[in-house]
Amino acid sequence: KKIRTMTGHQTRVGTIAWNSTLLASGSRDRLIFLRDYRVREQHVKKLVGHKQEVCGLKWSFDERQLASGGNDNKLLIWNAQSSSPIVR
């Protein structure tokens, strides 16, 4: 049974990462969407920072930070509460 369809990315999603309440998805469109499965909105936050495809995502052990890797050879660290990377 389909529960939900998630939209937002304009191109294919290449990576996802779950924490206890958020699903992070990264795509060829260079964007990262944070989605909270408990709310109706398609995404609760859009993270913009990569210049090429987002190819890897990983939450920290305490689920407060998200690391993203891109084909632009950049590793960005994001705070789950902010829309700007805290480390470039």
Side-chain angles (χ1 to χ4, degrees):
K1 174 181 168 184
K2 184 185 340 185
I3 297 171
R4 189 171 194 173
T5 298
M6 295 182 180
T7 61
H9 289 291
Q10 300 300 313
T11 58
R12 74 169 168 86
V13 172
T15 183
I16 61 171
W18 283 97
N19 73 14
S20 57
T21 59
L22 295 174
L23 170 67
S25 61
S27 173
R28 286 183 117 173
D29 61 12
R30 306 180 317 247
L31 301 175
I32 300 167
F33 286 125
L34 299 184
R35 304 164 189 276
D36 188 333
Y37 62 85
R38 302 169 298 175
V39 299
R40 286 184 169 249
E41 290 81 17
Q42 283 299 317
H43 58 274
V44 294
K45 194 164 292 186
K46 178 169 76 170
L47 306 177
V48 180
H50 286 285
K51 293 182 175 32
Q52 292 185 23
E53 177 178 5
V54 179
C55 55
L57 295 169
K58 178 71 175 168
W59 286 100
S60 63
F61 71 95
D62 62 2
E63 299 183 343
R64 293 183 189 173
Q65 296 176 331
L66 176 69
S68 65
N71 284 351
D72 53 4
N73 294 320
K74 301 291 182 190
L75 171 66
L76 304 180
I77 308 295
W78 308 83
N79 181 320
Q81 308 305 320
S82 174
S83 294
S84 299
I86 57 174
V87 177
R88 288 187 178 261

